[in-house]
C-alpha cells in the first residue's frame, strides 16, 4: 500500500478494535487486532525503507507526507487497542 494508505489503515483498525470491544464483539476485535499488528509492521517497513514507495497519486518517491503518523504514534494506537482487548 502507498504510505498514506498504510497510515490511514492503521488509524482505522485502531478504532475498529476499540469499537468492537465496546460492542462486545471480541472475535471481530481480535481479527482487527491481528490485522493492526500486521499493518504496523508494513507501516514501519515503509518508514524505514521509503525508496520506491509511492503516494496515492503515484508520484515517484513522494510519500505524500507522513500525516504525523510517527512510529511512536502508531505504537500508541496499537498499545491502546491491546489494552482495550486485555481489559475484557
Amino acid at each position: 500500500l502507498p504510505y498514506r494508505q498504510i497510515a490511514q489503515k492503521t488509524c482505522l483498525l485502531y478504532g475498529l478494535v476499540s469499537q468492537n470491544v465496546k460492542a462486545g464483539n471480541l472475535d471481530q476485535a481480535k481479527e482487527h487486532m491481528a490485522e493492526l499488528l500486521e499493518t504496523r509492521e508494513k507501516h514501519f517497513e515503509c518508514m524505514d525503507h521509503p525508496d520506491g514507495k509511492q503516494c496515492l497519486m503515484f508520484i515517484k518517491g513522494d510519500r505524500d507526507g507522513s500525516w504525523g503518523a510517527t512510529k511512536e504514534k502508531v505504537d500508541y494506537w496499537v498499545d491502546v487497542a491491546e489494552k482495550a482487548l486485555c481489559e475484557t
Side-chain angles (χ1 to χ4, degrees):
L1 288 174
Y3 183 84
R4 185 169 86 179
Q5 286 179 319
I6 295 171
Q8 290 171 333
K9 183 176 179 179
T10 303
C11 294
L12 291 172
L13 286 168
Y14 148 76
L16 287 170
V17 171
S18 299
Q19 291 299 315
N20 276 286
V21 166
K22 288 178 185 175
N25 301 326
L26 297 183
D27 289 336
Q28 190 69 39
K30 289 176 185 177
E31 287 179 30
H32 290 307
M33 187 69 217
E35 191 171 356
L36 175 58
L37 293 171
E38 181 182 327
T39 302
R40 175 178 62 178
E41 294 307 312
K42 290 178 184 177
H43 186 102
F44 286 179
E45 173 66 22
C46 189
M47 292 176 84
D48 292 340
H49 306 285
D51 295 339
K53 303 299 188 287
Q54 298 175 342
C55 73
L56 287 175
M57 299 302 293
F58 303 109
I59 300 169
K60 186 175 182 179
D62 181 7
R63 296 189 321 173
D64 202 22
S66 68
W67 286 66
T70 63
K71 286 186 176 186
E72 292 79 16
K73 285 185 180 179
V74 172
D75 279 336
Y76 170 78
W77 295 330
V78 171
D79 288 344
V80 170
E82 286 177 331
K83 287 177 185 174
L85 270 175
C86 290
E87 291 175 358
T88 58

